[in-house]
Amino acid sequence: MSEFSETIMRTIMHQAGVLAFLLPAAALAADATTVVEATESPVYDTVIYWGADFAHKSDDNNGYGAGAGFVTALNGDIGVSGWTVTGNIGGSRTEDVNSDTNSFYGSALVGYQWHAPGYYITVAGGVNYVNNDETPPGGVTDGGKVGAIAQYGFETKMVDAFYVQSYGAYSTAFDQKYIHAKAGYKTPSLRFGPEFTFFDESTSQETLRFGGFVGDISVTDSVNMVVSAGYQHELEPGVEDGFYATIGFAVPLSLR
């Protein structure tokens, strides 16, 4: 099968003093732009992706999230420039000493990707829905909200070379901001190196993640995996730091 890279976005919201992890498998934050390299390979038009996220601060303060989604090329070949359609959903639960939050996320986007010999760039926009069920209720981010979402992606494709990937998104639903970047080295079979994540929303201070990743791990002939882990630093006064771990999967398909 062909080499392909999944860009699994993690859309993560910080609310009511706790973290709600929504991986719209592009989280699973939108990395909603998955690229399949078409060199010496079948032509793929669609990629589906799914994954999970875990954050631990203490025995009474944890966050869990999972999500899935797809991206499809309207021109029938996701490895070349053209228009794309992305859809994803995610769910999460955060547990703290005095509060709990269950969240649901869904989005639909239309975008365009530009492919060059050594990299690709993608931009997309659309609509998303977020629903937070908070205990105790009545917080600023409690309840459902529909918003507009815009995102970008960038990834290098050269092998046996320096590797860079970046993804960012902004949603008007609870004023969410997300930026993720990876840098390292890409071989014909693996990507690896350090990663950095920034996310924030309207009622809290920023959260930062510093960690490392390994990607393009072949699980089967058609399924690839990416894993990452590291330190989570909270800029909100009184909120504990901790550690995080994520895992994501992607598979290319020929549906048309």
Side-chain angles (χ1 to χ4, degrees):
M1 79 146 259
S2 67
E3 296 178 21
F4 67 95
S5 1
E6 75 301 302
T7 323
I8 298 187
M9 167 185 127
R10 307 146 185 96
T11 300
I12 302 173
M13 297 178 302
H14 192 300
Q15 60 209 6
V18 295
L19 289 171
F21 296 95
L22 304 178
L23 295 107
L28 263 146
D31 208 280
T33 315
T34 303
V35 173
V36 175
E37 298 178 15
T39 305
E40 299 179 355
S41 69
V43 173
Y44 297 109
D45 54 68
T46 301
V47 176
I48 60 173
Y49 44 86
W50 63 97
D53 187 293
F54 171 69
H56 174 78
K57 300 177 184 179
S58 68
D59 291 342
D60 298 315
N61 192 338
N62 297 293
Y64 316 85
F70 72 91
V71 57
T72 188
L74 297 183
N75 62 9
D77 186 350
I78 204 167
V80 301
S81 298
W83 292 95
T84 61
V85 173
T86 300
N88 49 67
I89 59 173
S92 71
R93 176 174 175 81
T94 59
E95 301 170 346
D96 205 345
V97 177
N98 298 315
S99 64
D100 296 309
T101 301
N102 294 305
S103 299
F104 172 82
Y105 170 103
S107 69
L109 304 97
V110 175
Y112 194 88
Q113 59 182 11
W114 293 268
H115 281 271
Y119 64 91
Y120 82 92
I121 299 172
T122 179
V123 295
V127 62
N128 72 321
Y129 172 73
V130 179
N131 185 78
N132 299 314
D133 182 8
E134 298 179 357
T135 304
V140 175
T141 55
D142 195 14
K145 190 169 185 179
V146 176
I149 185 170
Q151 64 186 43
Y152 77 88
F154 171 83
E155 186 174 22
T156 59
K157 299 189 288 184
M158 297 84 71
V159 297
D160 294 324
F162 181 67
Y163 171 80
V164 177
Q165 181 195 82
S166 178
Y167 172 84
Y170 172 73
S171 171
T172 61
F174 302 121
D175 193 29
Q176 301 168 70
K177 308 173 188 70
Y178 178 91
I179 297 175
H180 179 75
K182 289 179 167 70
Y185 196 78
K186 181 177 175 69
T187 74
S189 59
L190 287 176
R191 300 172 290 135
F192 53 89
E195 68 175 15
F196 169 78
T197 306
F198 162 94
F199 51 92
D200 188 28
E201 54 84 53
S202 57
T203 63
S204 68
Q205 296 295 315
E206 298 86 353
T207 295
L208 307 177
R209 285 180 166 185
F210 307 90
F213 76 95
V214 180
D216 293 342
I217 303 168
S218 182
V219 179
T220 69
D221 288 343
S222 59
V223 178
N224 274 21
M225 177 175 70
V226 58
V227 295
S228 64
Y231 180 73
Q232 182 163 302
H233 177 51
E234 303 289 350
L235 299 183
E236 182 78 9
V239 178
E240 296 178 270
D241 291 349
F243 73 85
Y244 74 92
T246 71
I247 186 169
F249 302 88
V251 56
L253 301 171
S254 296
L255 301 179
R256 300 193 297 277

